[in-house]
Every structure is written in C-alpha cells, then in structure tokens.
Amino acid sequence: MFGERFRRARSASGLSMKELGDSVGVSANMIKKYEHGESMPSSPVLIRLAKTLGVKSEYFFRPNTIVLGEIQYRKRASLPKKTLHKIEAEVVDQAERWMELKNLWPNFPIDSPNLDLPVNTLHTYEDVEMYANSIREKWGLGSQGITDLTALLEEHGYIVIMISYASEGMCDGLQAVIEDMPIIVCQSNGDGTRQRFTMAHELAHHLLSSSLDSNLDEELCCHRFAGSFLLPLDSLKREIGEKRHSLEIAELYHLKQRYGISMQACIRRAFDTEIISQTEYTNVCKLFSSRGWRKQEPGEPYRCEQSSLFTRLVYRALGEHIIGESKAAELLGKNLMEFHADRFMGKE
Ligand SMILES: [Zn+2]
C-alpha cells in the first residue's frame, strides 16, 4: 500500500526518482525499492519525502479506496503524459477523501443524481440544443444566466473536483463515476468562463454519451450542449436579436459578464444558431486571433467559481460527532493548528 501511494505522489510531483532521491538524500535505486515495496523509508526520510512531495506523511498510509482504473475518463491526446499523471493523482487524492467521508456517514446526506437521460437518440445538433433546454427546464432555471454552476451541479448530485494543474490553453476537464457518484473535474484557476464551460461540457458527456447518433461528433455535441445550457437560444435572441450582420465586441463582453460564458463561445453560439453568417463568424474569429484575444479575452476576466461542499460536509460530520477533530483536519488536508484556526474562525 505504501509503495503505490508513494509512487502516485512522486508521479504527481513530476520529480524523477533521481531528483527525489537527491533532495532527500537517498539513491534513485532506493526510491525504486520504496515504490516496489521492497524497502521502507526510515521516519526521518519519510518526513523529508512528504515535505518534498508536498503531502502529509499520513497520506502514504491512508487506506486505498480508489483504483485508478475506476476513473474512466477520456484520455486527452493533447496532454503531455506528465500533466496527465499530475491530474490523475490530484483527482484520485480528492476522490479518495470524498469516498472516505462518504463511508464515514451512516447515511450520506448527498443523493446520487436523478438522471434525466435523453428519452430518444439525439440525431442532430439541434436535438442536443433542445435536450439542454429540457434539462434547464427540469432544473427550474428559467431563462436567466446560471450564477453558480458549481452549486447547481452539486445540488443535483454531482461532485465537482477542482484542480489547479490545468494550464493555460487546456480547456479540458474530465468526468468519472466512482461508486455511483458522478464526478466532474475542472480547473480551479484561470478565467471563470472557461471553468464553467468545462463543467457544462463534462456534464454533457455524462448525460449524452450513450444517446448520440453515430453520425454526430461527441465533442461538438458537448460543446453545443454547454453553450445552450449556459446561454439558451431564447435568451441569446432576446439579447442580440434574430439576425445580425455584425457583432460589437463590447456587446459580447456584456453578454459574457451576464451569462458567464466566454465572448468566443457567444460568437460560436451566434454562428451555430444562424444569427450571424459564416463570413461574419470568420471575421470575428480573425479579429480575436489578430488581437491575441483567443488566449485572453479583452476586459475583466470572469470570476472563478469555488466548491465548498466537501468542507461543509466535513464540518457537518464534526458537528454531528460522526468524526473527530483529527479526522476532520486530515480530510481537509490541514494540520491541527491550521484546522483550529479555521474551525474557530481564527479566534482561539
Ligand atoms: Zn469533451
């Protein structure tokens, strides 16, 4: 058990066996032995290892509840292996905390989602759009923008895991199902519209993937779903009109702030729904490229969302005497002193 968890932590750190060995004063070969369970580090070495790898030493001994194989995410060809390993390790670590917390409750207060899967196969992108609308309707969203997508997903039984590894340009999240808890993984930093689009896109994978006509491209469908989920067609038409020759940049910026969807996704939406022509679409895209706005859109970025559900549940479990202080601190990845400061709101 130690070996596997140790290997995972090293993989997440991006350090080679030699680099790690050098920084804690043992050979690369010794690191290999630890990973293969052929040797155990002494306490002082263990403490140095934990420090270098940025984990608490008890991390190495936490019982394994999740095997990597259970995380069925789509491998992203575009991601370097190192990044993928980091993401995997971070997701597994957070998912394990969730499972541990879940298994501590006699009756976990979060229900698995009541899935509203498409009744029929979806044959066109318009079908996908309609389906996104039907989910909005079932979830009682009206025609307004979604203020807090994270809270909305959590309210419907999804677990949202946010990781900081997502680098600029990596729009991909992933989703997984572990012990029938669906998990949506997205980035914790960057422009909030990107994070929200990722969440909506991954929600689509979870809901749609088995209901798509084989002629449809799943990625495009998930994009379309995400766009319509965040900015429904009726609202878009109300905001910018049914047909337009050209779009103003500042108007896109206000749409972005109002609906939490990027300006580029708004343009794409206007094109997909035939509000603007192919020519206008190409023109605006060119403008964005030439100004360097593809990577960073003009104006204030949209704020990133955060998830507090896990923390809230840990405190609730503490308050209901399901767990004690040290377990609460461990689940939150804090030492007791840090935990005390948080628990008593900095006053003790
Ligand atoms: Zn996708």
Side-chain angles (χ1 to χ4, degrees), residues 7-8 11-14 68 71 73-92 163 165-167 170 172-174 185:
R7 188 196 59 71
R8 207 189 280 164
S11 166
S13 74
L68 274 175
I71 300 199
Y73 61 92
R74 282 164 307 288
K75 295 244 180 210
R76 310 299 164 135
S78 59
L79 283 183
K81 245 197 159 143
K82 243 185 173 175
T83 313
L84 209 57
H85 282 317
K86 275 190 169 186
I87 294 176
E88 276 177 2
E90 175 76 16
V91 171
V92 167
I163 52 170
Y165 295 123
S167 54
M170 185 204 129
D172 304 332
L174 41 107
V185 180

Side-chain angles (χ1 to χ4, degrees), residues 171-185:
C171 180
D172 304 332
L174 41 107
Q175 46 97 21
V177 178
I178 297 170
E179 289 181 19
D180 43 271
M181 302 204 318
I183 295 178
I184 287 177
V185 180

Side-chain angles (χ1 to χ4, degrees), residues 74 76 172-173 198 201-202 205 218-220 222-223:
R74 282 164 307 288
R76 310 299 164 135
D172 304 332
T198 302
H201 177 102
E202 297 306 326
H205 275 300
E218 183 168 342
E219 279 307 294
L220 285 181
C222 293
H223 279 337

Side-chain angles (χ1 to χ4, degrees), residues 45-98:
V45 173
L46 187 73
I47 290 165
R48 289 203 293 275
L49 284 171
K51 206 168 167 217
T52 309
L53 296 173
V55 296
K56 300 262 178 311
S57 43
E58 79 256 9
Y59 164 85
F60 297 125
F61 303 102
R62 215 188 288 152
N64 260 331
T65 50
I66 303 221
V67 258
L68 274 175
E70 277 183 75
I71 300 199
Q72 299 138 0
Y73 61 92
R74 282 164 307 288
K75 295 244 180 210
R76 310 299 164 135
S78 59
L79 283 183
K81 245 197 159 143
K82 243 185 173 175
T83 313
L84 209 57
H85 282 317
K86 275 190 169 186
I87 294 176
E88 276 177 2
E90 175 76 16
V91 171
V92 167
D93 180 53
Q94 290 200 41
E96 276 181 353
R97 288 170 201 269
W98 265 108

